[in-house]
């Protein structure tokens, strides 16, 4: 075994022991670049550590995406802003920067079925994961069911604490399934706990005046929930016909743009 091979094997073993996958993947290629371009040792070390830093950032994002439990990944690049009325591309891309999460503020997407509410909510959630935010997606009916089951098994406090740690909670499809009084109160308590502490995103096909029908006809509860949810909130009202219905009738005219293929990671430039 040559000295170079032995040295390589030792470095690989050390990267495994120290859990440095970014270094393991890049140190040989960067070493060749360093020799060819006569880099100073400090520049080579900087490039190797930069690769490890990027690897760890990507690993955190992948973990955040798994924890978010998105039903599918949606991006802003794949959203056709020309097909939906009431949605400003400029406003959405401004929201993608994440200041509303830091504030924290809420987002409410309201509009007819099939007008991109869930797509936008997920896409902004994906952007939040890129900023290492903790995100969780749940349909309203599923979330209320989990809260009721946790209450029945005396695990409600633990679930509430876990949900409070989430930076962005996406509650999808409020209005599709009505809640009984207990479910409505549990959801109200969750929104109240997160009020001015964490960001919440809601999608709904109902006007606010119709929310009382979802919360067992309890006007006081509904008013109190909307008061907390809509305060410090950006409300985006989508309009138009269902994208799915339009695609079914005319698939060629309403094909959504294909998201661009991900670019390969840029290699470090040679240094002279």
């Amino acid at each position: 075994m040559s000295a170079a091979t032995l040295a390589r094997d030792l470095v690989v073993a050390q990267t495994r022991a120290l859990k440095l996958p970014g270094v393991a993947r890049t140190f040989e290629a960067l070493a060749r670049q360093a020799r060819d371009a006569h880099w100073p040792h400090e520049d080579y070390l900087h490039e190797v550590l930069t690769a490890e830093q990027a690897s760890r950032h990507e690993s955190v994002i992948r973990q955040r995406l798994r924890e978010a439990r998105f039903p599918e990944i949606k991006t802003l690049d794949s959203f056709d802003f020309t097909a939906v009325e009431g949605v400003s591309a400029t406003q959405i891309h401004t929201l993608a920067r994440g200041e509303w999460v830091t504030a924290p503020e809420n987002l409410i997407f309201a509009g007819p079925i099939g007008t991109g509410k869930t797509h936008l909510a997920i896409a902004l959630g994906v952007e939040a994961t890129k900023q290492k935010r903790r995100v969780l997606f749940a349909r309203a009916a599923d979330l209320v069911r989990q809260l009721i089951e946790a209450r029945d098994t005396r695990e409600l406090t633990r679930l509430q604490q876990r949900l409070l740690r989430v930076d962005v909670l996406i509650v999808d499809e409020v209005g599709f399934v009505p809640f009984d009084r207990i479910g409505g109160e549990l959801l109200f308590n969750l929104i109240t706990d997160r009020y001015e502490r964490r960001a919440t995103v809601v999608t709904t096909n109902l006007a606010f005046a119709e929310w009382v029908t979802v919360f067992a006809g309890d006007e006081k509860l509904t008013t109190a929930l909307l008061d907390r949810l809509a305060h410090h909130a950006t409300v985006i009202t989508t309009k138009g016909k269902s994208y799915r219905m339009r695609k079914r009738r005319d698939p060629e005219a309403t094909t959504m743009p294909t998201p661009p293929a991900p670019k390969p990671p840029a290699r470090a430039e040679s240094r002279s």
Side-chain angles (χ1 to χ4, degrees):
M1 181 181 293
S2 67
T5 301
L6 178 61
R8 176 195 176 281
D9 291 346
L10 286 173
V11 172
V12 170
Q14 289 172 320
T15 58
R16 289 174 180 169
L18 294 172
K19 298 181 180 179
L20 301 172
V23 174
R25 287 193 298 268
T26 61
F27 80 93
E28 289 183 285
L30 289 173
R32 287 193 293 270
Q33 291 186 36
R35 286 192 294 269
D36 293 343
H38 307 291
W39 291 358
H41 292 93
E42 293 83 359
D43 285 356
Y44 172 67
L45 177 61
H46 169 70
E47 292 296 340
V48 169
L49 292 178
T50 298
E52 179 59 34
Q53 190 176 39
S55 175
R56 295 192 177 198
H57 180 76
E58 292 169 1
S59 178
V60 170
I61 293 174
R62 287 194 297 270
Q63 179 64 25
R64 293 287 186 264
L65 282 172
R66 286 193 295 268
E67 293 173 348
R69 300 179 184 177
F70 295 123
E72 55 184 326
I73 299 300
K74 299 287 189 179
T75 66
L76 294 180
D77 288 339
S78 64
F79 187 81
D80 186 0
F81 287 94
T82 65
V84 179
E85 300 175 28
V87 178
S88 163
T90 300
Q91 182 185 29
I92 297 299
H93 283 96
T94 298
L95 289 170
R97 296 203 297 262
E99 285 90 346
W100 62 280
V101 181
T102 304
E105 297 176 353
N106 299 328
L107 297 180
I108 302 174
F109 291 97
I113 296 171
T115 52
K117 303 182 298 298
T118 298
H119 186 136
L120 289 171
I122 291 177
L124 290 174
V126 169
E127 293 300 317
T129 65
K130 294 178 182 178
Q131 299 156 12
K132 299 184 180 181
R133 310 280 193 176
R134 294 186 182 276
V135 180
L136 180 63
F137 176 97
R139 291 186 173 88
D142 294 336
L143 179 60
V144 169
R145 189 189 69 251
Q146 292 172 23
L147 290 167
I148 292 174
E149 291 175 352
R151 186 206 61 160
D152 293 343
T153 57
R154 298 185 179 181
E155 295 288 332
L156 181 58
T157 299
R158 182 177 299 179
L159 176 59
Q160 289 171 328
Q161 291 174 346
R162 181 168 66 85
L163 292 172
L164 187 57
R165 289 194 294 269
V166 174
D167 297 307
V168 180
L169 176 63
I170 302 174
V171 185
D172 191 39
E173 297 183 346
V174 173
F176 277 77
V177 180
F179 313 126
D180 60 17
R181 183 175 181 81
I182 294 174
E185 289 177 351
L186 289 171
L187 183 59
F188 168 79
N189 290 336
L190 173 61
I191 298 299
T192 299
D193 288 343
R194 294 179 60 82
Y195 176 61
E196 295 188 327
R197 301 171 69 183
R198 294 288 189 269
T200 302
V201 181
V202 169
T203 74
T204 180
N205 64 319
L206 297 180
F208 290 154
E210 299 176 289
W211 277 39
V212 68
T213 62
V214 179
F215 292 91
D218 191 327
E219 293 186 6
K220 290 184 178 180
L221 180 83
T222 305
T223 301
L225 184 143
L226 284 171
D227 181 63
R228 288 160 175 78
L229 188 63
H231 190 218
H232 307 308
T234 297
V235 180
I236 297 174
T237 303
T238 61
K239 302 176 183 178
K241 297 179 180 179
S242 166
Y243 162 73
R244 286 180 288 273
M245 291 297 294
R246 287 186 286 110
K247 183 177 181 181
R248 188 175 304 146
R249 293 171 182 170
D250 189 0
E252 293 184 359
T254 56
T255 300
M256 294 286 274
T258 302
K263 297 180 180 179
R267 296 179 60 185
E269 297 180 358
S270 298
R271 297 169 182 259
S272 57

